[in-house]
Amino acid sequence: FLKSGVSIPFFMAVVNSKVIHASALALEYGPKFTYRERFLPLGYTRTVYTKWLSAIPAFFMLFSILSISVILKLPIIGKRLAMWMLPPGTGSPDFINERGYATVRAEVIAETASSGAKRALCEMKFRGDPGNLVTGQTVSESALSLVFNRSELPSRSKDGFGTPAELLGTV
């Protein structure tokens, strides 16, 4: 539902899409299910406002990700640079975790037999670094659901294998 502007591939989409598609298959979302994940370097509002000019920061973001990836893959320099930037056991600094945020926008279109296609837009906002604080919060909430809501979990959860949508259901 991006009216105009430029998005780039999200670097975690390769992993995320595997989990989403596994859930779609297991929970029978249907043959028309599609999933796409994109990243807006300027955020939604600024991307829509700047329209095609959002291609400039999108290009720089792609170039930066590519450059960092290439440098970190260099045999000697990459490993030393990674160890210098974030030594094992340090994690990301607290000021990065606290300043981080994520806004997820989703558009869902479902066809119903009685009323045709229905469209829904959803926006979720998370405070904290999505790679650390939000992930930690999600894992903790999932663990608490497994402990305190055991009787409400779907039957397929008993073996412990599956995607979060499969294992936790609507808990």
Side-chain angles (χ1 to χ4, degrees):
F1 52 94
L2 184 62
K3 295 176 181 85
S4 59
V6 177
S7 65
I8 62 175
F10 181 57
F11 74 98
M12 287 296 295
V14 174
V15 175
N16 294 345
S17 64
K18 303 275 190 255
V19 176
I20 298 295
H21 285 289
S23 293
L25 184 63
L27 299 174
E28 300 174 355
Y29 290 174
K32 293 184 178 182
F33 175 78
T34 58
Y35 173 79
R36 288 182 291 276
E37 189 169 353
R38 306 293 290 172
F39 176 68
L40 302 171
L42 294 178
Y44 181 78
T45 306
R46 287 189 204 124
T47 299
V48 170
Y49 179 75
T50 57
K51 298 185 183 349
W52 62 271
L53 287 174
S54 64
I56 297 167
F59 170 77
F60 281 113
M61 180 69 88
L62 279 176
F63 180 75
S64 299
I65 292 170
L66 179 64
S67 300
I68 290 168
S69 299
V70 168
I71 290 169
L72 290 176
K73 290 289 184 182
L74 292 174
I76 297 170
I77 298 170
K79 191 170 186 174
R80 286 188 179 166
L81 184 62
M83 292 294 238
W84 175 74
M85 287 172 45
L86 284 173
T90 59
S92 60
D94 288 341
F95 75 92
I96 290 177
N97 290 332
E98 292 163 3
R99 290 182 59 201
Y101 67 95
T103 301
V104 177
R105 292 175 180 263
E107 176 181 33
V108 179
I109 301 171
E111 292 184 27
T112 60
S114 61
S115 60
K118 294 201 172 219
R119 181 175 175 227
L121 301 175
C122 172
E123 179 178 282
M124 298 175 283
K125 293 185 177 192
F126 302 95
R127 293 180 65 198
D129 181 55
N132 291 296
L133 293 182
V134 175
T135 300
Q137 175 186 354
T138 305
V139 169
S140 299
E141 288 175 357
S142 299
L144 290 170
S145 294
L146 291 171
V147 171
F148 293 115
N149 301 86
R150 191 113 184 113
S151 62
E152 299 173 41
L153 295 174
S155 60
R156 67 172 50 92
S157 297
K158 290 179 181 160
D159 63 2
F161 294 97
T163 65
E166 276 182 276
L167 299 177
L168 298 171
T170 58
V171 173

